[in-house]
Amino acid sequence: MDAVNEGGHCGARNVHSLIEYLVLSASLFGVVAAMQAVAARLAIPEATALSILGIGIGASYFVVVSFAPHVAQFFLSPLINPVLPVDAYLWLFLPPLMMQAALAIDVRSFLLDAAPILLLAIVAVIVTTVCVGVAMSALAPYGLVACLLLGAIVGENDASAVITIFREVGAPARIIRLVEGESLLDDATALALSGVLLAMLAGDAADATLGAGLKVFAYSFVGGAVVGLVVGRVAASVLPLLGDIASAEAAFTMALPYPLYLFANDTLHVSGVIAIVCAGLVINSLGRTRLSPSNWRHLQMVWEQIAALAGAIIFLLAAIQIPRLLSGESWHHVWLLAVALIAALAARLFVLFVMLPALTWMRLSKPIPAGFRLVITWGGLRGALTLVLAMGVAQNSAIPNDARTFISVTAAGFALFTLLVNGTTLRWLISRLGLNRLTRQEEAMQNQALVLSSRAVDAALARMNTALRADAKTLTDVASEYRRGLSMSAVVADPESSVSERDGLAIGLVTLAAHERDLVPEYGDGVISVANLDAMMRNTGQMIEAARSKGRVGYHRVALEILEIPLRYRIAKLLYRFTRFERPLAAAMVERFELLLCRRVVLERLRDFNATRLKPLVGELTTVLDSVIALRIGSAELEIAELRNQFGSAANALERRLLLLRALKEGRRSLEAMAAERVISKTVFDRVRNAIDRAWSVAIRRPRVRLLVPAPIPVPAQHLEQMTSLPTTAERKSA
């Protein structure tokens, strides 16, 4: 009986604890929502707003407990005195944050800027660790290892605030990519360095030497990368098997980070953060061609929401501990904090103004304007990871008490200073340096977009007024107010005149390539092979970069690369030549035929996009852009004609398959639109959708193809010289 009663009391306590945590979770979500709104209203970084609130909660606990002990015990005590260990903050919140960051970044651009990103994410953290450690060891009597540990803790940067501000002011995309890439990897560097130095400070003999520490650091990084790449590749292969169900695909990716982090950290003793980042980058790179565009967008939205909540909650929970961490603050610590801030700033300036230009000199990186480098330097805010690591040191009894207080107090003060000073002045610095001003080309395009928007608004107001029947003066006043609100008075009468033809053509080519990249994934789901989709996505990404850096010549050269004969084709051709075994060659030719057909269809859609959407923005340049697309179409048609001669009537079967699959996909899309608008009931939609799915499963099978004649390796049409000599508008007018 006593055992039963004891079990009942234990169950009641567990239920009560569960209720407390549910209420606490709901309260945290509500607070995060409120602070996000406040930060947006006050135009300050969200991290700064959360840190101010967290400090207020942490400082008010001792006051609230005197006046309302029940409220303090129920709401504040779980925050001030958490039951979970400090490590739980990392493995609860860090995996989803790292996964979302890896899924959101542009992988190709990330790889193109790998040298400067690795410099900022790894070398900069190490340089900061050394600079802060050496400077502090000269003033503080806690030993070099303790000072280096402090340097590692404050060496990472929370780039969320600077990224948000950069996007708001329209900073160049490359600058944002560099900061995103740094944020993706510097956490792993700081964690690995802190772990090695913590082991040395705690007296672990196996890790007490510099050589052993470097060995552990390298093993952790390389091992984590290998594990992540393998897991990411396997996960990307599993995604297409989930039946094109968006919720299942999102749930599968959500199941990856925690087991991967724990397996890498606790079982293999490698960096769990690096493993998650590498897995996420692989899924990001391959997932876009293995999931439908709508499902990929759904996956991104799910992870954005998860990361937004996880990042805000961990920051708030860590900020609440700042008053406790600073409780041992003295004037001695204030002077040490000032030295640490100066040393970290000097290290950051050295990396960005000495080492980064050296990469440019060695042609490993494109130059970055000095103004943006200064903003990146000042935007090095310390966030939740710094505070969590400081909490871990404060609770680590293996570290001498004096060193523990020194590290935790200085790190917390460091984070607080950057949040309250750097975070609140970053926007002012950007404005002061003039980095929020548009370039001449961007301003001209903005003016043209405003003119077009104004015309569309006038037409929409006129249509709406047919129902309202307002007087003409009211309609004119509303249109004028709209223009005043957008500062339309500053828009030139003829925006095209302020953009040179060369700049306008480069803008048009980049826009075409970007739109082409968006069109390619629509031919997934087995319409063409994943290998072909990957090749087309890579090619469009290369065209974007080539158009930006080398203009029309670079764009055309890269556009022709996809017509080059792949290695698989050449091997199959040799096999056929010596053995007359045609199946591998036929399969390779089918792959190439489908690639060219899809390329041809995409180019026609691109041509229509140029005529309907780009023409209002770039004017007569659409004629040049149309000629560019037409020449690409001609090159593809030459290849298609040669392959069609090899297949005979089988070519018609392949073309028919492509058209039928496109028809089924468009039919399903139109039905989804009708169901969303309640034109048809869900029952009707489900019945028709099932019929379309059955037809799709039949049509997706590729027909057997045999060669009619021995197939030569087609030679890609060489139109580069002709393409790059297209006449300009001035030349056409003079002619």
Side-chain angles (χ1 to χ4, degrees):
M1 190 67 178
D2 292 339
V4 173
N5 290 335
E6 184 178 350
H9 289 307
C10 182
R13 285 196 301 271
N14 290 337
V15 170
H16 183 70
S17 299
L18 177 61
I19 293 174
E20 287 183 346
Y21 280 110
L22 289 175
V23 172
L24 177 62
S25 300
S27 302
L28 287 173
F29 291 151
V31 167
V32 166
M35 295 313 298
Q36 287 173 337
V38 168
R41 178 67 63 87
L42 299 179
I44 61 175
E46 181 184 319
T48 301
L50 288 170
S51 64
I52 294 173
L53 176 65
I55 293 169
I57 293 174
S60 65
Y61 172 73
F62 301 102
V63 178
V64 175
V65 77
S66 302
F67 294 96
H70 181 71
V71 173
Q73 181 67 25
F74 191 79
F75 287 101
L76 299 181
S77 183
L79 300 175
I80 304 297
N81 303 300
V83 177
L84 295 174
V86 174
D87 288 347
Y89 284 87
L90 295 180
W91 58 258
L92 271 177
F93 298 106
L94 204 56
L97 289 172
M98 294 296 100
M99 177 62 81
Q100 187 276 331
L103 290 175
I105 201 168
D106 186 340
V107 177
R108 174 161 185 80
S109 300
F110 176 87
L111 295 176
L112 289 175
D113 280 319
I117 287 174
L118 292 176
L119 175 70
L120 293 172
I122 298 178
V123 177
V125 176
I126 296 174
V127 170
T128 302
T129 300
V130 173
C131 286
V132 173
V134 172
M136 300 302 287
S137 64
L139 300 174
Y142 306 109
L144 178 61
V145 176
C147 296
L148 288 173
L149 177 58
L150 171 65
I153 291 175
V154 301
E156 64 87 27
N157 292 295
D158 184 349
S160 58
V162 67
I163 290 172
T164 301
I165 295 175
F166 273 174
R167 284 178 175 152
E168 289 177 359
V169 302
R174 180 169 179 259
I175 305 299
I176 297 176
R177 289 199 303 267
L178 291 179
V179 179
E180 286 179 331
E182 177 191 10
S183 178
L184 194 63
L185 296 173
D186 67 348
D187 287 350
T189 306
L191 282 171
L193 278 175
S194 300
V196 171
L197 293 167
L198 191 60
M200 295 171 65
L201 186 61
D204 190 331
D207 298 319
T209 65
L210 180 61
L214 291 175
K215 182 179 179 181
V216 170
F217 181 77
Y219 172 76
S220 178
F221 251 78
V222 175
V226 171
V227 172
L229 292 173
V230 172
V231 171
R233 191 66 182 83
V234 173
S237 302
V238 172
L239 283 172
L241 306 178
L242 299 177
D244 196 31
I245 301 172
S247 57
E249 293 160 354
F252 175 72
T253 58
M254 290 167 62
L256 291 176
Y258 290 113
L260 177 57
Y261 181 81
L262 295 174
F263 175 71
N265 260 9
D266 299 340
T267 303
L268 301 179
H269 304 292
V270 297
S271 174
V273 174
I274 288 293
I276 292 174
V277 167
C278 290
L281 289 175
V282 173
I283 294 172
N284 183 355
S285 177
L286 302 178
R288 296 175 187 269
T289 56
R290 285 156 177 77
L291 304 181
S292 65
S294 60
N295 286 13
W296 181 254
R297 288 192 296 270
H298 175 266
L299 182 69
Q300 295 278 57
M301 290 177 61
V302 168
W303 274 106
E304 284 176 9
Q305 185 60 37
I306 292 173
L309 288 175
I313 289 174
I314 187 176
F315 204 99
L316 180 61
L317 293 176
I320 288 173
Q321 303 297 325
I322 290 179
R324 172 179 291 185
L325 292 173
L326 294 178
S327 60
E329 183 79 26
S330 65
W331 283 110
H332 176 64
H333 290 119
V334 173
W335 288 111
L336 292 177
L337 172 61
V339 173
L341 289 166
I342 294 172
L345 181 62
R348 192 105 172 125
L349 288 170
F350 176 77
V351 171
L352 282 158
F353 285 88
V354 177
M355 301 183 76
L356 194 55
L359 288 183
T360 303
W361 180 76
M362 292 185 289
R363 297 184 179 181
L364 296 175
S365 172
K366 297 178 183 177
I368 300 173
F372 282 107
R373 279 181 278 151
L374 184 59
V375 169
I376 293 174
T377 301
W378 190 249
L381 278 63
R382 271 52 175 186
L385 183 61
T386 295
L387 294 174
V388 170
L389 291 176
M391 291 163 53
V393 170
Q395 298 178 12
N396 194 330
S397 58
I399 301 175
N401 186 60
D402 290 345
R404 214 161 58 208
T405 303
F406 156 70
I407 295 171
S408 60
V409 168
T410 309
F414 197 108
L416 185 61
F417 181 90
T418 60
L419 290 168
L420 298 183
V421 178
N422 299 49
T424 55
T425 58
L426 185 59
R427 196 182 301 271
W428 171 84
L429 179 62
I430 291 175
S431 176
R432 186 73 176 176
L433 294 173
L435 301 181
N436 54 347
R437 289 196 294 267
L438 299 177
T439 64
R440 180 174 56 84
Q441 295 83 3
E442 290 170 335
E443 186 174 358
M445 295 301 291
Q446 173 187 269
N447 290 349
Q448 182 71 336
L450 288 175
V451 169
L452 295 173
S453 172
S454 177
R455 294 172 186 170
V457 167
D458 289 342
L461 288 175
R463 289 192 301 269
M464 187 174 181
N465 196 42
T466 58
L468 296 179
R469 302 182 185 278
D471 59 85
K473 184 178 183 305
T474 301
L475 197 64
T476 303
D477 290 344
V478 170
S480 299
E481 186 175 349
Y482 169 79
R483 288 178 173 82
R484 285 195 301 272
L486 295 180
S487 302
M488 291 288 289
S489 59
V491 177
V492 296
D494 183 14
E496 294 179 53
S497 63
S498 59
V499 182
S500 69
E501 182 168 323
R502 179 179 179 181
D503 292 335
L505 185 59
I507 292 171
L509 291 173
V510 170
T511 305
L512 286 177
H515 186 64
E516 185 175 350
R517 183 174 58 180
D518 293 337
L519 292 175
V520 169
E522 294 185 14
Y523 299 89
D525 301 330
V527 177
I528 65 173
S529 69
V530 170
N532 278 335
L533 286 171
D534 288 340
M536 293 179 70
M537 290 291 284
R538 284 195 303 271
N539 190 236
T540 53
Q542 292 167 349
M543 279 191 282
I544 292 173
E545 295 299 327
R548 284 175 177 158
S549 60
K550 299 180 181 178
R552 182 168 49 184
V553 175
Y555 174 90
H556 287 310
R557 182 174 290 113
V558 172
L560 285 177
E561 286 179 0
I562 202 166
L563 299 180
E564 295 178 356
I565 307 304
L567 179 61
R568 175 190 175 189
Y569 197 115
R570 296 179 183 277
I571 294 174
K573 172 61 180 174
L574 289 174
L575 183 64
Y576 176 79
R577 178 178 298 170
F578 291 108
T579 67
R580 291 299 170 182
F581 183 46
E582 72 172 35
R583 181 172 294 181
L585 181 57
M589 292 178 69
V590 167
E591 284 274 304
R592 185 170 177 80
F593 191 59
E594 288 185 343
L595 170 68
L596 293 170
L597 289 178
C598 182
R599 182 83 159 185
R600 178 72 172 79
V601 173
V602 168
L603 288 174
E604 284 294 346
R605 295 180 64 185
L606 205 62
R607 201 172 193 177
D608 181 66
F609 172 79
N610 175 55
T612 58
R613 302 295 293 170
L614 274 186
K615 187 172 184 178
L617 285 174
V618 298
E620 292 186 9
L621 285 176
T622 51
T623 305
V624 180
L625 295 175
D626 185 76
S627 300
V628 170
I629 301 172
L631 286 170
R632 291 181 61 195
I633 291 174
S635 299
E637 284 181 339
L638 287 175
E639 300 285 336
I640 291 172
E642 189 164 359
L643 288 170
R644 189 180 281 119
N645 290 334
Q646 302 300 320
F647 291 140
S649 60
N652 295 331
L654 292 171
E655 292 169 335
R656 179 181 180 278
R657 171 184 175 273
L658 182 64
L659 289 171
L660 179 56
L661 291 174
R662 183 67 186 176
L664 291 170
K665 181 171 284 192
E666 287 297 324
R668 177 164 181 168
R669 182 180 299 173
S670 64
L671 286 167
E672 289 173 346
M674 286 188 283
E677 296 171 355
R678 302 295 189 270
V679 176
I680 59 176
S681 67
K682 189 176 185 304
T683 302
V684 172
F685 170 71
D686 289 340
R687 289 173 63 89
V688 181
R689 182 185 60 183
N690 291 336
I692 290 178
D693 290 344
R694 288 193 297 270
W696 179 277
S697 64
V698 174
I700 200 68
R701 304 191 190 104
R702 288 178 174 80
R704 289 289 301 274
V705 174
R706 294 183 59 85
L707 304 180
L708 294 181
V709 295
I713 296 180
V715 179
Q718 301 299 322
H719 289 301
L720 181 59
E721 188 174 331
Q722 178 186 3
M723 289 179 182
T724 54
S725 60
L726 286 172
T728 63
T729 301
E731 291 168 345
R732 291 195 307 274
K733 287 180 178 178
S734 64

